[in-house]
Every structure is written in C-alpha cells, then in structure tokens.
Amino acid sequence: MSFSGRRFSTSKGPSSAELNSKIHRQFRGAHEGHRPHAGLDPSRASTGVVWCTERANEYGFQDEPGSWANLGQGAPEADDDIEGSFKRPTQIDLSVSSREYGPTAGIKPLRVAIANLYNAHHRKGKDSQYTWENVAVVPGGRAGLIRIAAVLNNAYLGFFIPDYTAYNEMLSLFRNFAAIPSPLSEEDGYHIHPDKITEEIARGTSIILTSNPRNPTGQVVANPELAQIQDICRDRATLIMDEFYGGYNYTSNCDGTTVSAADNIQDVDEDDVLIIDGLTKRFRLPGWRVAWILGPKEFIKAIGSCGSYLDGGTNVPFQEAAIPMLEPNKVFNEMKALQTHFKMKRDYVLGRLEDIGFKIKNVPDSTFYIWLDLSGLPTEINDGLNFFQKCLEEKVIVVPGIFFDLNPAKRRDLFDSPCHHFVRLSYGPKMEHLKRGLDGIERIVRK
C-alpha cells in the first residue's frame, strides 16, 4: 500500500517510522478516518481493544493466551483471590420463572435492590429517593449506552477527548444528535473543570456524555467540583455519567467510598442525570453482562421500552443471582477490599515504569488504567501504534492511545491526534501478568 504523494495531515506529514510501519498501514486500512482516501467505506471496523486483540491473535495470542500479558483488556481480575472480597457464585439456581422472557427494563426485585443500594450509599438523609421505577437493567454497559442514545432528542451532544473507545461507535451510529468533541488538556491532567461545562452549554450543547472516573486517564472528578458541574447542568442539559469505575477510587484512603453523581442529585425525577454502572468492573463479573441505568422515571420508561427492539433485555437467571450481591453493607466492604488491592497494584506498576525510565506526569487516582506517555522514547517506538507492535513481539498487549481520540465524524487524521504518543496500560490483570508484561516492556525500552 503506497502513501506517496498523499497529504496525511494539515499540520505535518508522517515520519519515516510511520511510513515504514506495518501496524500503521493496518490501522489505516481498517479505520475510515485514518485512510489516505477518507471517503471510502472501511472494509471492517472495530473498537480499540478488539482490534488490538485481532492483531495479537496474528502473533499467537488466541492459541496460547496463558503465555501472554494482556495489559490491554479493560477488565479486572475475576478470581476469588482478593483479601476481604466476597466469593462469587460458582453455580446458580434456575427458577421456573427465569425460563420466560424477562421484562426489557429488568426484573423488579433486582431494580429494587439497585435503588436500595444507591439510596444507602448516596441518598442518606435526602428527601428524594430512588425507587425501582428509576432503574433499568441492561445487558452490559454498551447496550445501556445504545439504549440511552436511542431515546435522546435532536440535540448537540458534547463529549471529551480522550474517553472510552466504544463511545465512538455509539456516537456515529445514531443521527438524532450531533456529536461535538471537546479536547482536554494534558498539562491540566485531562481534568474536566466546571468552566468547561459552562462553555459547552454556552455553545448550545444540551447533552453531555463522560466517563467518571475517566477511562483511559485514570482521573476522577469528585465533589465539590462534581456537584458544581451538576448544578451548572441542572435544568439546562442532560448529563450522562458512565460510572463503571466508581468503586476504583483511591482518593479517600481506600475507605470503600464510591464516586457517584447520585450524591448531588436534588430530585431523582427532575434532575436530568443518567447514571450507568453494573457488575462488570467493580463487582468483577464482566462475563455476566448485567448492568443498570438510573435516572428520572420518564427517561427510564423510554430506555426500558427501547430494549424490546434493540437487545431484548438481560439474562434473567443472572439478574436473580445478582440480587444478594447488592446488599449495601456487603458492597461497602467489597469496595474497601477492591480499592486496597488495586491501589497496591497501581503503585507497583508505577514504580516499575519509573524504574524503566518513563515519566509519570499524572498519577491516576481511580480506575485501573495508566495513560502512558511515550514521547520520551526513541522515535521508532514513541507513538502508540509502533510501541504496540513492539509489545506484540514480546507477547504483551497494550492499547494505542489513538483509539481514545473519539472521532465519530472521521474528520481528524491520525497524525493530528493528541493521543498519538500514548498507550493505555491496564493493571486490571493479576499481579503475575503485570510482572510479565512489565518485563516485556522493559526489554523493549532497553533494546
């Protein structure tokens, strides 16, 4: 595939390392907005983690996953080895009623349990309390985001860069809103300030979507700033809060506190705040595909109904099995164990990276991700795609930062991306995999 004579970017041309890189050519071939002929339909497309896994499979990952260190997958370790964590079910009872179709908004007992959990952890002493009618159960986070997108009105939707890769597909799938990117500053630690929200609303944005804690940067917007943001949005904009990493909070001395916009809502049926979370991350059950959305009853009614034509609803036996896990005291103790364990892993990974020679500008205070700056490395490996390629040769998987430069309108070229010289590194896997992966990264840098 020849790139000669083509202008790749309005700011600069590709470097020799990029021109001679097989992985760059593969990326351009798969992603419409990063091809020389940007108007052509792509032959295939996938989210960042899936694309990375496909490339790893070409190097044997699928055949021998146990010999690899997958630091790219956005999932926590799922074994029962974390001290203080409750044991996950190894078998579940199947009720006769679970053989039937379940309600597309989820079974009522689980919706009650979710509302009770949020009231206990985030609504104590408040007049306005969540009920089961404020909860929709959905088959995973992406399905929940798709349902939310399906019920949005014609509007400008603001989102921030960098953020979760799957937003890219969701934002490009629907035509009932116009997606407007808002880049965050690396120098400012990719922080979302209240002033930033004011600017978004001033330019006509009436829907704001963000992860918090934030994927991939590992930063969190906590109170009082989170409360300020919600005050600014109240009666002016719908706020969609992806809170899947809310339990991975290291800002409060691992005391079990979960970060959530639910703390600051005045009226659960009037505040236009949609919160999405589930068993996937903080309960370490990504395979169960049980998630939920909290919000005003009118929103939840629409979100529940559209499940009938989008996804058909969530697996009923797993919904039933989830109910006892959501007892508030049990969850609180689980979060303390989770935070202690993952902070320990974070500190280990940061220490190893600094020993290898990386400069960590912004220490993550949440999630299980490190947004790793490669700009100090030699030219041959100082961009996300070439570094990813070298990692594959060492049986290590990371995710190139370009995938978190959400580009649903396909207007920006690869070489203009502020995420080009980053990778996302996950410390979700077990410690033995982290050590193996960091050993591989050290070999790459030492070469």
Side-chain angles (χ1 to χ4, degrees):
M1 184 174 181
S2 174
F3 298 126
S4 60
R6 296 292 300 178
R7 188 177 76 167
F8 292 82
S9 167
T10 58
S11 62
K12 64 181 180 66
S15 67
S16 59
E18 291 159 339
L19 281 172
N20 297 321
S21 167
K22 174 185 175 182
I23 202 71
H24 278 79
R25 295 196 297 271
Q26 286 181 312
F27 183 87
R28 280 188 176 277
H31 291 267
E32 179 181 11
H34 305 301
R35 303 178 63 156
H37 301 285
L40 293 177
D41 289 336
S43 60
R44 58 188 171 84
S46 57
T47 61
V49 172
V50 174
W51 188 85
C52 293
T53 304
E54 290 169 351
R55 302 287 75 74
N57 289 341
E58 296 169 3
Y59 283 76
F61 172 63
Q62 191 171 33
D63 297 326
E64 295 183 71
S67 65
W68 282 66
N70 186 356
L71 310 187
Q73 182 66 47
E77 57 183 283
D79 292 347
D80 289 324
D81 298 333
I82 296 177
E83 184 178 354
S85 176
F86 68 80
K87 300 294 183 185
R88 273 45 177 178
T90 56
Q91 60 185 23
I92 58 175
D93 294 326
L94 300 176
S95 66
V96 174
S97 62
S98 72
R99 302 174 187 175
E100 306 284 352
Y101 282 123
T104 55
I107 61 173
K108 184 177 177 180
L110 180 56
R111 296 168 72 184
V112 169
I114 294 166
N116 181 50
L117 174 65
Y118 278 77
N119 289 336
H121 283 189
H122 305 289
R123 308 294 301 165
K124 277 186 178 179
K126 300 181 187 294
D127 292 335
S128 182
Q129 298 281 299
Y130 286 115
T131 72
W132 66 275
E133 293 177 290
N134 295 110
V135 180
V137 180
V138 291
R142 277 159 285 204
L145 290 167
I146 292 295
R147 286 205 198 184
I148 290 172
V151 304
L152 294 177
N153 200 352
N154 292 325
Y156 290 129
L157 183 150
F159 63 97
F160 302 99
I161 298 170
D163 214 326
Y164 176 40
T165 60
Y167 294 167
N168 206 57
E169 280 65 38
M170 184 196 82
L171 294 173
S172 60
L173 185 63
F174 291 87
R175 295 291 178 263
N176 52 329
F177 53 81
I180 303 174
S182 183
L184 300 175
S185 169
E186 177 189 353
E187 290 72 24
D188 197 25
Y190 302 100
H191 193 66
I192 301 176
H193 293 281
D195 288 348
K196 187 80 168 175
I197 302 299
T198 300
E199 290 173 7
E200 291 300 303
I201 293 176
R203 66 171 175 165
T205 300
S206 58
I207 304 167
I208 294 173
L209 166 66
T210 183
S211 59
N212 190 51
R214 295 189 51 70
N215 175 7
T217 62
Q219 305 298 322
V220 65
V221 181
N223 285 331
E225 280 192 310
L226 180 57
Q228 287 179 262
I229 288 171
Q230 291 177 243
D231 288 342
I232 293 166
C233 291
R234 189 170 289 111
D235 300 323
R236 302 169 74 190
T238 296
L239 191 58
I240 304 169
M241 302 296 292
D242 176 347
E243 296 186 349
F244 270 89
Y245 299 94
Y248 295 86
N249 165 38
Y250 317 124
T251 65
S252 55
N253 200 30
C254 299
D255 65 356
T257 300
T258 299
V259 175
S260 179
D263 286 322
N264 308 313
I265 288 171
Q266 291 182 358
D267 189 312
V268 298
D269 288 319
E270 296 295 330
D271 284 29
D272 269 0
V273 179
L274 298 174
I275 295 170
I276 183 166
D277 194 359
L279 300 184
T280 306
K281 307 296 185 185
R282 61 182 176 128
F283 291 88
R284 301 185 295 112
L285 290 168
W288 281 34
R289 314 311 300 146
V290 176
W292 52 78
I293 301 167
L294 284 89
K297 290 177 184 176
E298 287 185 70
F299 256 113
I300 295 302
K301 183 177 179 181
I303 289 168
S305 295
C306 72
S308 63
Y309 59 83
L310 285 175
D311 54 57
T314 308
N315 179 295
V316 174
F318 284 120
Q319 288 189 69
E320 293 177 340
I323 295 168
M325 296 183 195
L326 300 182
E327 193 280 318
N329 287 331
K330 187 175 190 176
V331 174
F332 184 75
N333 291 328
E334 178 70 16
M335 293 305 99
K336 287 201 290 187
L338 187 83
Q339 291 162 9
T340 301
H341 181 75
F342 277 81
K343 182 178 182 294
M344 176 270 295
K345 293 201 297 180
R346 181 203 68 174
D347 293 346
Y348 168 78
V349 174
L350 289 175
R352 282 289 308 272
L353 290 172
E354 289 176 338
D355 289 343
I356 292 169
F358 289 97
K359 304 298 182 186
I360 309 298
K361 297 178 182 177
N362 299 297
V363 173
D365 57 17
S366 55
T367 75
F368 43 77
Y369 299 125
I370 295 170
W371 186 235
L372 189 61
D373 185 359
L374 309 174
S375 59
L377 296 178
T379 303
E380 294 80 6
I381 56 170
N382 76 350
D383 68 85
L385 286 166
N386 274 318
F387 188 81
F388 166 73
Q389 175 76 50
K390 291 298 183 183
C391 283
L392 294 183
E393 295 170 8
E394 296 290 344
K395 294 189 174 183
V396 179
I397 305 174
V398 296
V399 181
I402 185 67
F403 288 107
F404 302 93
D405 180 4
L406 307 185
N407 189 18
K410 307 295 189 287
R411 293 191 180 100
R412 286 189 309 284
D413 193 77
L414 167 66
F415 305 112
D416 290 322
S417 173
C419 304
H420 190 34
H421 295 281
F422 288 85
V423 293
R424 187 192 74 178
L425 189 152
S426 169
Y427 52 94
K430 298 181 71 171
M431 184 62 83
E432 62 195 73
H433 297 288
L434 299 180
K435 291 178 179 177
R436 183 186 305 151
L438 290 162
D439 288 345
I441 289 172
E442 185 168 12
R443 287 193 295 271
I444 293 167
V445 175
R446 296 287 179 251
K447 287 179 184 178

